[in-house]
Structure formats: structure tokens, C-alpha cells
């Protein structure tokens, strides 16, 4: 039997008989979880754009406009050296803002959703033969 002759519907797992058996799916559909993911992704996209964009600008300037980067600023300090050192500052600021963002907007929602998930799992009857793993 060829892979192409298998109907696509037979490749998908069957839907659960009881949606309460999958509390994680209920959490994934929760509006707070979606808002938390959106906040995390939008911040991540902005932070990555800032970090990678700044570095890409520095590389492009060094490759296509070396005269600009060789301009002296003070003593032996050139614009290129100052921009190269500024990359460390930018990355440190991005890391700091990421920590602040996660502590302020993502972690409280994640803790609340984790508590909901733990409550649902505690209320759920334990199935025989079902292994439970500890969370981190």
C-alpha cells in the first residue's frame, strides 16, 4: 500500500471520547492562555527584531560603508567600535526587558492556568495503568 493511497482522515488520531480527559486541551483553548501566548510572541518578535536588526545594521555598515565606521569619535574610539560595543548594551536591555515582561505579564497568567490544570487533574479520576509524570 502506498503512502499516497492512505486517506488523510485515517492518519489523524480519533478525537477523545470525553473532552474532560484532556485538561491540557481545555487550557489551550482558554482565552487567558491565548492572550498570554500572544503577549509572549509579540514581545519576542519585537525583541528579536531589535537585536538582530541592530546587529545586521552594524554588519551591513561595516561591509558597505567602512568609511562611516572609521570616523574617530574620541581618541582611538571610532564610530564602528562604539556601535560594536553598543550591541552588548542593546542585548543586555533586551534580556532585562524580557525578564520584566515575563514576570509582569506572562508568569502570573501561567501560574493561574497551572493551578487550574492541577485542580482539574486532581478532580479527574485516576485511570488504571495511566502513568503520571512529575512536572518541572
Amino acid at each position: 500500500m502506498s503512502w499516497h493511497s492512505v486517506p488523510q482522515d485515517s492518519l489523524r488520531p480519533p478525537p477523545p471520547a470525553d473532552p474532560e480527559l484532556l485538561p491540557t486541551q481545555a487550557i489551550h483553548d482558554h482565552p487567558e492562555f491565548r492572550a498570554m501566548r500572544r503577549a509572549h510572541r509579540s514581545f519576542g518578535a519585537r525583541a528579536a527584531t531589535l537585536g538582530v536588526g541592530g546587529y545586521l545594521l552594524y554588519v551591513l555598515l561595516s561591509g558597505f560603508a567602512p568609511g562611516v565606521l572609521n570616523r574617530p569619535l574620541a581618541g582611538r574610539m571610532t564610530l564602528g567600535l562604539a556601535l560594536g560595543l553598543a550591541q552588548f548594551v542593546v542585548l543586555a536591555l533586551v534580556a532585562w526587558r524580557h525578564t520584566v515582561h515575563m514576570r509582569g505579564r506572562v508568569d502570573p497568567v501561567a501560574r493561574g492556568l497551572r493551578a487550574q490544570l492541577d485542580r482539574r487533574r486532581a478532580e479527574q479520576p485516576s485511570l488504571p495503568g495511566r502513568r503520571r509524570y512529575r512536572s518541572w
Side-chain angles (χ1 to χ4, degrees):
M1 177 186 243
S2 163
W3 171 261
H4 298 289
S5 64
V6 177
Q8 289 296 321
D9 291 339
S10 67
L11 297 176
R12 292 189 187 115
D18 185 7
E20 290 298 320
L21 292 179
L22 291 175
T24 55
Q25 186 61 39
I27 293 296
H28 285 282
D29 294 336
H30 199 282
E32 285 184 6
F33 180 78
R34 290 177 185 230
M36 177 186 67
R37 281 185 53 187
R38 195 175 323 113
H40 181 60
R41 284 182 177 174
S42 67
F43 179 82
R46 289 191 312 259
T49 301
L50 178 65
V52 172
Y55 183 72
L56 182 63
L57 177 67
Y58 177 71
V59 169
L60 290 174
L61 281 173
S62 68
F64 295 109
V68 173
L69 295 182
N70 285 333
R71 289 187 184 161
L73 292 179
R76 303 191 89 180
M77 176 70 78
T78 62
L79 181 61
L81 184 58
L83 288 176
L85 293 173
Q87 290 298 311
F88 291 103
V89 175
V90 168
L91 291 178
L93 286 173
V94 166
W96 171 71
R97 282 301 304 154
H98 181 265
T99 303
V100 169
H101 173 75
M102 293 298 285
R103 285 182 183 162
R105 295 202 47 199
V106 176
D107 288 348
V109 176
R111 279 192 295 273
L113 291 173
R114 169 66 72 176
Q116 273 185 352
L117 182 63
D118 289 343
R119 274 195 308 274
R120 285 186 183 184
R121 284 184 176 161
E123 293 169 357
Q124 210 176 26
S126 181
L127 299 175
R130 184 175 173 189
R131 294 182 68 172
R132 298 205 93 171
Y133 295 98
R134 291 184 296 167
S135 64
W136 289 85

